[in-house]
Amino acid sequence: MFDYCNIRMTGLYTNSHWTADVGNGYFVDPAAEVLLRFKQYGTVNAGADEKDGGLVIGSNGGGLSYVVGPGGVIYRTRTASLDEPELDQVADDLRQFLELLERSLTRFVATSEPGCL
């Protein structure tokens, strides 16, 4: 299990929620932000044929976004554009995505190198 107490965290306070920033640029948006973005902009093309609607659930802080497809698969965009995104699958579901995020953060704490996300 990841030891959250040993991370030096700098927090960003925005819109009545707390976002921890550990310096490597992984951000998972609160559900309220995901829903607000959906209401304002709709879905992005995701899925095997990239015509299924997906929701943006976070970013890497460098312009790439994480999108969950209708089947629960998590994708990362190849570019910053969400108009016609090119996607790479990074996890089969949210649980696996969060496990990969945990491993990436653990690696960052131990080596100062970013993980694979």
Side-chain angles (χ1 to χ4, degrees):
M1 186 51 107
F2 191 70
D3 184 0
Y4 293 97
C5 297
N6 288 328
I7 299 178
R8 188 181 140 264
M9 291 189 177
T10 307
L12 302 173
Y13 186 78
T14 16
N15 239 5
S16 302
H17 68 273
W18 181 263
T19 305
D21 180 358
V22 295
N24 61 358
Y26 296 123
F27 300 92
V28 178
D29 297 334
E33 274 189 36
V34 173
L35 293 175
L36 179 61
R37 187 180 303 112
F38 169 67
K39 285 173 68 175
Q40 292 176 335
Y41 303 106
T43 60
V44 296
N45 293 336
D49 62 5
E50 296 191 6
K51 298 294 180 200
D52 297 326
L55 297 175
V56 176
I57 61 166
S59 70
N60 72 351
L64 303 184
S65 296
Y66 298 105
V67 176
V68 62
V73 174
I74 308 294
Y75 302 93
R76 180 186 55 228
T77 60
R78 291 182 186 173
T79 65
S81 173
L82 291 172
D83 294 330
E84 294 182 26
E86 294 180 35
L87 304 171
D88 293 314
Q89 182 175 336
V90 294
D92 293 332
D93 56 27
L94 186 59
R95 177 183 295 268
Q96 185 184 33
F97 176 73
L98 294 174
E99 289 169 353
L100 289 170
L101 178 59
E102 179 182 32
R103 283 188 224 139
S104 293
L105 292 172
T106 301
R107 177 180 174 174
F108 178 76
V109 169
T111 66
S112 296
E113 295 178 16
C116 63
L117 288 176

